[in-house]
Amino acid sequence: MNAADLYDRLRPIQEAKGYWFNADRERTMELLEGLLHNKARYGYMACPCRLASGNREQDRDIICPCVYREPDVAAYGSCYCNLYVSREWNAGTIPRDFVPERRPPEKMVF
C-alpha cells in the first residue's frame, strides 16, 4: 500500500466522522507516508509527528487517529500534525493556530 491508497481508503471513513484531510496534498501525503513507515517499523501506524517507543501498549494513545485528535480539532480545527482538520480549517475561515502537544511528558520517548 502507498500513501495515495491509504488516502483513498481512509478519506470516506474519516469524513463520515467529521474529519477531513489537510487540503495541502503534499503535506498530507508526507504524513501518510510517515504512518506507513511507522507501520512497517513498529507494526502499527503511530503518529508520524511523535516519537514512538515501539511498544504498542505504551503508544496506544498515538496510534493514528490518536486520542488527542478529537479535542485538538474541536479546539484548534486541526490535530497536532495537521493531518486531520475541520472543514473550517481547510477553508481558512478559522485561524490556523499552533496546536500544543497534549501527550503527557511521561509517555514521551526521549
Side-chain angles (χ1 to χ4, degrees):
M1 177 179 298
N2 62 35
D5 293 335
L6 185 58
Y7 180 94
D8 290 341
R9 177 186 262 175
L10 294 178
R11 189 175 134 222
I13 295 165
Q14 298 306 322
E15 285 183 2
K17 296 176 183 180
Y19 299 99
W20 283 261
F21 283 125
N22 187 331
D24 180 341
R25 182 81 175 197
E26 185 176 340
R27 172 76 176 146
T28 297
M29 289 300 142
E30 288 172 359
L31 292 166
L32 292 174
E33 285 291 339
L35 286 173
L36 291 170
H37 179 78
N38 284 343
K39 182 170 182 166
R41 178 187 287 169
Y42 304 118
Y44 52 92
M45 290 194 292
C47 177
C49 300
R50 296 178 168 105
L51 292 175
S53 70
N55 177 316
R56 186 182 186 95
E57 188 57 37
Q58 182 176 339
D59 293 339
R60 181 177 300 284
D61 64 320
I62 61 168
I63 295 174
C64 191
C66 73
V67 300
Y68 311 106
R69 177 184 72 169
E70 185 177 340
D72 284 350
V73 174
Y76 300 98
S78 171
C79 69
Y80 180 68
C81 62
N82 304 134
L83 176 62
Y84 290 110
V85 300
S86 67
R87 280 188 193 180
E88 297 80 12
W89 194 93
N90 263 344
T93 58
I94 61 171
R96 293 187 176 176
D97 294 330
F98 173 77
V99 179
E101 176 62 272
R102 291 180 189 264
R103 193 171 199 215
E106 63 272 8
K107 294 200 90 169
M108 295 183 194
V109 177
F110 294 103

